[in-house]
């Protein structure tokens, strides 16, 4: 809940969506901001907290997006605001590489403690998820003295040149922006719903195929790092078949390859655990984090084994704003909130509610001649449905877009995703009241019925 005047936790529509004031602001945006900066829903927010976003027209929308998995602790969470406000009054910047401060060290200590594994760790702080991934590659290359980087089908890792190269999907992320960095290689991922020989064969076959590509086409001895999202975000919330991640991690360990878990979207209680790779007991060598780390302020991190993190020479890591003191204060407040409010438990409860309702919808619309839910998937508060055309598994991006549009019109913020554009993804704040969760699912069900 907001640290200021609490927002009523209700859906309230007083205008069409978007309203006239939002439309005026959108016209200003079109005249001031380049077309490449798109907008999913041109509703201009004035306040936010709990499970709602309030716009400039006075509408209150249910939030199933969390700013793309950022406001896990809710917008303007009390501890985040209190700590950030205190830090704002003290100082806003010195550059940690010039004259350091305790907040950076404290965040590093927290991440060293919270991330999987009981080995000695180090953490470096940055500004964004893409920057964290870039630095993970730098660190892995410095440690291994190798250059190749292996990523996976359907993966997403950012919008910088290197991370565009690491990312699988072309539109909208890569089209027209090349050439990209060299020494990037893509291998199959265990996508159970679309594995040709069936989900039961997916983990073993996908791991074998990925390892064969690495050994035969790249050479394991040339690979610095393998980078994977434990649940693929922009790719469509694909949860690799059980056994796939441990197999890849074991192969990496056996061949001196740094295993990097990209937990930028999955981390900080989003899946009902601090980090998604914990689900199968995978302990990464390096882990990249951002999004939910600081309650909405820009901060990112690379955390990993001390001997790997220390491989880069002094001055080789850093950046002017990396580990900004206000963002560090916010992160400490966010982590405090995650602990005190048991947000892992709350994420698990959200998952129980959403998966139950969505599977019921899948059954209800199984015989629809217009749209069908091919699969319901996800963990905790990171849930998705993949939509397909009746009679098979052909992706249905048109129906996906239509359902999202219908939800938006009724005051429910939902996001789409997926390599084929046919996935509705749900990322509610972990502090969302259960009545709003239920109401949002009611709106979604009505949208399915109306397609």
């Amino acid at each position: 809940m907001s640290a200021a005047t609490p927002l009523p936790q209700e859906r309230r529509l007083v205008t069409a969506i978007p309203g006239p004031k939002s439309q005026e602001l959108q016209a200003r945006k079109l005249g001031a901001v380049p077309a490449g900066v798109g907008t999913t829903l041109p509703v201009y927010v004035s306040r936010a907290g709990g499970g709602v976003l309030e716009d400039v027209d006075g509408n209150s929308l249910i939030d199933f997006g969390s700013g793309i998995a950022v406001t896990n602790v809710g917008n303007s969470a009390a501890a985040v605001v209190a700590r950030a406000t205190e830090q704002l009054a003290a100082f806003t910047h010195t550059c940690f590489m010039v004259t350091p401060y305790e907040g950076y060290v404290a965040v590093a200590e927290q991440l060293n403690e919270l991330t999987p594994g009981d080995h000695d760790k180090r953490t470096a702080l940055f500004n964004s998820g893409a920057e964290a991934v870039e630095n993970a590659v730098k660190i892995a290359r410095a440690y291994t003295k190798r250059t190749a980087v292996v990523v996976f089908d359907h993966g997403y890792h950012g919008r910088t040149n290197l991370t565009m190269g690491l990312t699988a999907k072309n539109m909208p992320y890569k089209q027209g922006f090349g050439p990209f960095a060299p020494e990037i290689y893509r291998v199959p991922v265990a996508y159970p719903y679309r594995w040709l020989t069936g989900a039961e064969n997916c983990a073993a076959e996908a791991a074998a195929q990925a390892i064969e590509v690495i050994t035969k086409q790249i050479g394991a001895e040339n690979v610095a790092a393998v980078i994977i999202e434990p649940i693929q975000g922009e790719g469509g919330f694909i949860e690799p078949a059980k056994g796939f991640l441990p197999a890849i991690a074991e192969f990496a360990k056996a061949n001196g390859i740094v295993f990097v878990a990209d937990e930028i979207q999955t981390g900080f209680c989003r899946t009902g655990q601090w980090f998604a790779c914990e689900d199968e007991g995978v302990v990464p060598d390096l882990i990249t984090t951002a999004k939910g780390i600081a309650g909405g302020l820009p901060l990112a991190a690379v955390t990993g084994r001390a001997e790997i993190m220390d491989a880069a020479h002094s001055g080789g890591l850093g950046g002017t704003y990396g580990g900004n003191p206000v963002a560090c204060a916010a992160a400490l407040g966010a982590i405090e909130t995650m602990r005190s409010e048991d947000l892992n438990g709350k994420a698990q409860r959200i998952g129980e509610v959403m998966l139950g309702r969505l599977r019921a919808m899948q059954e209800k619309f199984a015989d629809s001649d217009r749209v069908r839910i091919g699969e319901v998937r996800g963990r905790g508060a990171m849930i998705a449905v993949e939509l397909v055309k009746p009679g098979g598994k052909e992706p249905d991006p048109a129906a996906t877009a239509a359902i999202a549009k219908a939800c938006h019109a009724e005051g429910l913020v939902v996001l789409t995703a997926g390599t084929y554009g046919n996935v509705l993804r749900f990322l509610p704040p972990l502090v969302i009241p259960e009545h709003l969760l239920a109401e949002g699912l009611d709106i979604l069900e009505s949208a399915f019925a109306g397609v």
Side-chain angles (χ1 to χ4, degrees), residues 319-391:
T320 301
Y321 293 108
N324 171 269
V326 180
C328 285
L332 294 172
I335 293 169
E336 175 189 334
T337 303
M338 293 171 203
R339 285 187 160 121
S340 65
E341 298 192 16
D342 185 23
L343 293 195
N344 279 320
K346 290 187 177 180
Q348 292 165 18
R349 174 58 184 163
I350 289 169
E352 291 172 7
V353 172
M354 295 198 81
L355 289 171
R357 285 289 305 273
L358 292 169
R359 285 169 179 153
M361 290 183 214
Q362 182 181 31
E363 185 174 345
K364 178 178 179 178
F365 298 107
D367 298 323
S368 170
D369 59 0
R370 291 169 294 179
V371 64
R372 189 168 68 86
I373 298 175
E375 184 176 47
V376 178
R377 58 179 178 250
R379 296 204 306 268
M382 188 173 182
I383 304 296
V385 293
E386 179 164 355
L387 305 188
V388 295
K389 295 180 179 179

Side-chain angles (χ1 to χ4, degrees), residues 243-321:
F244 178 79
L245 285 176
I248 298 299
E250 288 165 11
F251 172 80
K253 182 177 181 179
N255 289 274
I257 299 168
V258 176
F259 182 87
V260 183
D262 180 341
E263 292 256 14
I264 288 160
Q265 191 162 168
T266 51
F268 298 103
C269 309
R270 174 53 57 183
T271 66
Q273 295 170 294
W274 280 101
F275 300 98
C277 59
E278 295 176 54
D279 187 65
E280 294 187 86
V282 172
V283 177
D285 297 311
L286 301 179
I287 184 168
T288 59
T289 54
K291 288 191 180 289
I293 192 173
L297 275 72
L299 189 68
V302 181
T303 302
R305 298 182 184 278
E307 66 273 18
I308 299 176
M309 293 293 295
D310 285 338
H313 55 270
S314 179
L317 304 177
T320 301
Y321 293 108

Side-chain angles (χ1 to χ4, degrees), residues 60-74:
S60 179
L61 290 76
I62 299 173
D63 183 12
F64 273 17
S66 298
I68 317 184
V70 170
T71 54
N72 293 5
V73 298

Side-chain angles (χ1 to χ4, degrees), residues 38-41 62-70 72 154-159 167 169 171-173 229 231-239 264-266 270 291 350 354-355 358 373 375-387 396-397 399-401 403-405 407-408 412-429 432 437 440-441 444 448:
T39 301
T40 298
L41 176 57
I62 299 173
D63 183 12
F64 273 17
S66 298
I68 317 184
V70 170
N72 293 5
H154 309 288
Y156 175 86
H157 300 286
R159 293 176 181 263
T167 292
K169 189 175 181 179
M171 279 293 290
Y173 307 116
E229 304 156 274
I231 299 176
Q232 294 182 309
E234 302 297 317
F237 285 18
I238 299 165
E239 184 177 0
I264 288 160
Q265 191 162 168
T266 51
R270 174 53 57 183
K291 288 191 180 289
I350 289 169
M354 295 198 81
L355 289 171
L358 292 169
I373 298 175
E375 184 176 47
V376 178
R377 58 179 178 250
R379 296 204 306 268
M382 188 173 182
I383 304 296
V385 293
E386 179 164 355
L387 305 188
D396 197 343
T400 306
I403 291 170
K405 183 178 180 180
C407 289
H408 295 165
L412 174 65
V413 178
V414 298
L415 306 173
T416 59
T419 298
Y420 312 107
N422 67 323
V423 174
L424 290 166
R425 55 173 164 168
F426 310 113
L427 293 158
I432 189 171
L437 190 63
L441 290 165
L444 180 66
F448 271 105

